[in-house]
Amino acid sequence: MPTYRDEAVVLRTQKLGEADRIITLLTRSHGRVRAVAKGVRRTSSRFGSRLEPFTYVDLQLYEGRNLDTITQAETRAGWYAEIGLDYERYTAGTVMLETAERLASEEREPAVQQFRLLVGALHALAGGRAPGQVLDSYQLRALATAGYAPAFDHCAHCGLVGPHRWLNPSMGGALCTTCRIPGSASPAPETMTLLAALLVGDWPTVEAADPRHAKQAAGLVSAFVAWHLERQLRSLEHLER
């Protein structure tokens, strides 16, 4: 069977048999991949802790019919100590991993930009930035990378330059008074400014935001993600805001 090498972030693991695990990965060149790590649950495993969530690895795999098999794994960066031991960072990071898995829904479809975005977001999360800010920025940028970029500075329907008062995830973002539809939210102007800053990574604006506007923005980001993924992320129920 053909073998290949790739870089990957471990998204999720699940037990298989007595000693193996199925590892769900977001790879640079092959997109989402599910692979078996044989014997990884044994204390003598050569993989050690290299195949745990929040780990960035170099892998060698060989292709299988349903699941690939990991034959080599070398750690490039491990963020578990910084993320996994802090509840707020861990829950935010778990939402990020689930978002990445859901957006890379087609297996073996290249997802280079999503991969780079996730690596950068995990690095920022481990580096000390506020978990909620990193999560909200990551999710908006991940949606944009997947082709669902929300509009915050112009009307998502007619293109009229804002600022605008109304916002609706199903319409793609901000709406002018003419294009507004029933059920649209009316966030504070400062929240709209914050959402635009989160989308482009304007950290000075993000960090200066009032907590009230940050909380409102977080709810709207979750609404955008739920709309485009067609259901709420399971990991969100553990997230503290």
Side-chain angles (χ1 to χ4, degrees), residues 206-228:
V206 171
E207 291 168 349
D210 186 282
R212 294 172 300 166
H213 303 135
K215 183 175 182 179
Q216 189 177 40
L220 291 167
V221 171
S222 294
F224 272 98
V225 174
W227 172 260
H228 288 294

Side-chain angles (χ1 to χ4, degrees), residues 72-89:
Q72 293 181 15
E74 297 295 333
T75 303
R76 295 193 61 154
W79 296 295
Y80 187 81
E82 295 85 357
I83 297 175
L85 302 181
D86 180 284
Y87 184 77
E88 189 177 3
R89 294 189 190 285

Side-chain angles (χ1 to χ4, degrees), residues 61-85:
L61 310 95
Y62 70 79
E63 294 183 17
R65 285 187 177 180
N66 299 313
L67 297 170
D68 295 351
T69 300
I70 298 170
T71 57
Q72 293 181 15
E74 297 295 333
T75 303
R76 295 193 61 154
W79 296 295
Y80 187 81
E82 295 85 357
I83 297 175
L85 302 181

